Amino acid sequence: MRRYFELSRTQTYSLLFAIPLLLLYEAGAAWVATTSDAPLRNGADVLIRALLAMGGLHSTVGFTAFLVAVAAFAVAVEWRRRKVRGLEPGVFAGMMAESALYALLFGMVVGTATQWVLEGAGFRLAADQGGTMAQLPLAEGIVLSLGAGIYEELLFRVLLAGGLFVLFRSGGLPRTRSGVFAALLSALAFSAFHYVGPYGDPWQLQSFTFRFLAGLTFSGLFLLRGFGIAAWTHALYDVFLLLFMVGG
């Protein structure tokens, strides 16, 4: 188990584990585009695309190839430093099982924390009806769920939280305080992001609080278990929630 946790936390396993999620989302979005009048994209995906478009990346193929190339470079650097030698398929299977377990526990843990926070502040926790995602066709909802896993974790955990951490550290803040502030601010941005755009939900205190605490939880998962497991946990949680709402 110790070897599994060490290997699954490396950039090699984490990034290689995340690439299939990226490809599944891109393939799903391309398929939905052939059956729908309007292109379907996760909001974080659109924002990152807009930023990279300033550097000349406009096509989906070029954009996806760029992300895969960055991941491949990070893996190559780690292999060159001999931190990982060879691949063990069983580790990837364990990472998928771990992500599925976290996804199943996620709603219960964060929901309980949300209830405790709101009731402690004098608010009652209302039932969440799922928002606009539940109103989409199932296939489109699943595609957006996969996109949320890969691109929201990339945007809010890797780029925003990581960037804020570097910024605070360069400003002279201690490492722990920089990490806490970066996690809090990125979690606030993550929660607010869900109320913006055509697929944004109507603002509610309980859903905002739940998503803020979810952002903190994903930040902790990203730091402790790496990007790949955080991304798959996020994606699977959204898929499980969508299937539960449709089935209910």
Side-chain angles (χ1 to χ4, degrees):
M1 288 299 295
R2 180 178 179 181
R3 177 173 174 78
Y4 163 76
F5 280 108
E6 288 177 351
L7 288 176
S8 59
R9 182 66 181 83
T10 62
Q11 288 187 10
T12 296
Y13 281 90
S14 186
L15 293 175
L16 291 180
F17 185 53
I19 286 177
L21 180 59
L22 169 66
L23 298 180
L24 280 172
Y25 166 68
E26 293 296 347
W31 174 76
V32 169
T34 65
T35 62
S36 176
D37 295 332
L40 182 74
R41 289 284 170 182
N42 174 267
D45 171 16
V46 173
L47 182 55
I48 294 175
R49 282 172 182 269
L51 294 174
L52 290 181
M54 298 177 185
L57 283 175
H58 299 283
S59 70
T60 296
V61 173
F63 179 74
T64 305
F66 172 77
L67 294 180
V68 172
V70 170
F73 175 77
V75 169
V77 169
E78 189 169 64
W79 278 53
R80 225 180 140 119
R81 294 175 179 172
R82 298 182 180 273
K83 290 187 176 181
V84 177
R85 303 305 295 175
L87 294 175
E88 300 179 20
V91 174
F92 292 110
M95 293 170 74
M96 181 59 73
E98 188 179 352
S99 299
L101 176 62
Y102 292 154
L104 290 171
L105 295 175
F106 184 84
M108 183 191 336
V109 172
V110 179
T112 300
T114 303
Q115 185 173 13
W116 179 80
V117 168
L118 290 181
E119 289 185 350
F123 294 98
R124 291 177 61 88
L125 179 63
D128 185 13
Q129 300 302 316
T132 57
M133 282 282 289
Q135 302 170 17
L136 293 172
L138 180 59
E140 295 186 9
I142 290 176
V143 170
L144 286 180
S145 297
L146 298 178
I150 190 70
Y151 281 110
E152 289 182 11
E153 291 309 300
L154 178 60
L155 176 62
F156 292 104
R157 251 57 70 184
V158 178
L159 299 179
L160 183 57
L164 287 172
F165 177 79
V166 172
L167 180 65
F168 292 143
R169 286 290 287 152
S170 64
L173 283 180
R175 185 180 183 85
T176 300
R177 191 176 300 177
S178 296
V180 170
F181 287 163
L184 288 172
L185 291 175
S186 62
L188 283 172
F190 170 73
S191 183
F193 187 76
H194 288 80
Y195 306 95
V196 178
Y199 297 108
D201 293 336
W203 191 88
Q204 291 181 333
L205 177 62
Q206 54 266 32
S207 62
F208 182 88
T209 304
F210 179 91
R211 285 164 173 152
F212 169 71
L213 294 175
L216 290 179
T217 304
F218 283 131
S219 292
L221 192 59
F222 167 69
L223 291 173
L224 294 173
R225 301 299 296 125
F227 173 71
I229 287 179
W232 271 104
T233 298
H234 189 159
L236 290 175
Y237 168 74
D238 283 2
V239 170
F240 292 162
L241 180 61
L242 182 65
L243 293 176
F244 174 78
M245 290 187 296
V246 171

